Amino acid sequence: MQSEAPVSPWYKQFWPWFILSILGTSVVLGTTMLVIATKNPPSLVSDNYYEVGKGINTSLERENLAERLGMKASLRVQEESGEVVLELNGESHPQQLVLSLLSPTQPEKDRRVVLQPQADGKYRGQLQDPVSGRRFVELIGQEQGQDWRLFEEENLEKGGVIRLGE
């Protein structure tokens, strides 16, 4: 008669524990990803597409008004002092301009400056901290109760001049 070798129970074998560890790791990683996704929702996604569409139409109307008024601007940001100097050309010369330097991906890096007219015909404002890199540059002014807008995507470089409306 042949003697059979005793079979050890399943929990003393390698392969069941190996398979269970893969499954357990998948559950832990999936749960971790779910927690991260719910605590950090994407900020670039809009829930209200109707409002976004209305905003696009408003932007187009403002840009068309700027074109009809022949608005052009030359902007220089002095990085050392944070001073913003803007030279404005066209039919509109508002009491103040709003300059927005918008980051395409990081809203916390957006900067807004109110520019006031000076005696030399230029507009000046002050940035609180240095701004560099790729930005959406938006300049908003007002003429006879209507807003106009100049908008460009630019790479802000040290000592560089940004031309809007060309």
Side-chain angles (χ1 to χ4, degrees):
M1 296 216 183
Q2 293 180 346
S3 64
E4 292 182 16
V7 177
S8 60
W10 70 270
Y11 55 84
K12 290 186 178 180
Q13 300 291 322
F14 168 75
W15 290 108
W17 290 110
F18 178 73
I19 292 171
L20 287 174
S21 67
I22 290 174
L23 295 173
T25 303
S26 299
V27 169
V28 169
L29 290 177
T31 304
T32 303
M33 290 175 66
L34 179 65
V35 168
I36 290 171
T38 55
K39 289 191 176 194
N40 301 311
S43 62
L44 298 177
V45 177
S46 175
D47 291 336
N48 192 344
Y49 295 106
Y50 178 72
E51 290 297 323
V52 172
K54 284 183 6 184
I56 290 171
N57 289 339
T58 302
S59 293
L60 289 174
E61 290 170 6
R62 293 186 300 183
E63 288 175 7
N64 289 337
L65 178 59
E67 190 175 320
R68 285 194 309 271
L69 293 171
M71 301 308 299
K72 294 182 193 255
S74 177
L75 173 73
R76 182 181 301 271
V77 178
Q78 297 173 355
E79 194 164 321
E80 301 83 29
S81 64
E83 184 179 34
V84 178
V85 180
L86 184 125
E87 192 172 328
L88 188 65
N89 298 316
E91 295 177 24
S92 177
H93 297 286
Q95 292 300 314
Q96 72 176 16
L97 296 171
V98 177
L99 175 69
S100 299
L101 303 171
L102 308 170
S103 173
T105 57
Q106 299 171 322
E108 67 273 4
K109 291 189 175 183
D110 293 352
R111 299 294 176 259
R112 191 165 308 245
V113 181
V114 176
L115 304 174
Q116 301 294 336
Q118 304 298 309
D120 60 1
K122 296 181 181 179
Y123 288 80
R124 286 183 167 45
Q126 188 69 36
L127 280 171
Q128 299 302 320
D129 52 354
V131 178
S132 63
R134 186 170 153 235
R135 294 280 190 263
F136 294 121
V137 180
E138 178 184 59
L139 182 67
I140 296 179
Q142 197 170 50
E143 181 67 27
Q144 296 177 356
Q146 290 183 312
D147 288 344
W148 54 263
R149 173 183 185 233
L150 297 176
F151 184 82
E152 298 285 337
E153 180 179 353
E154 296 288 337
N155 192 14
L156 300 179
E157 298 174 357
K158 191 173 187 175
V161 175
I162 299 168
R163 303 206 185 286
L164 301 171
E166 293 183 354

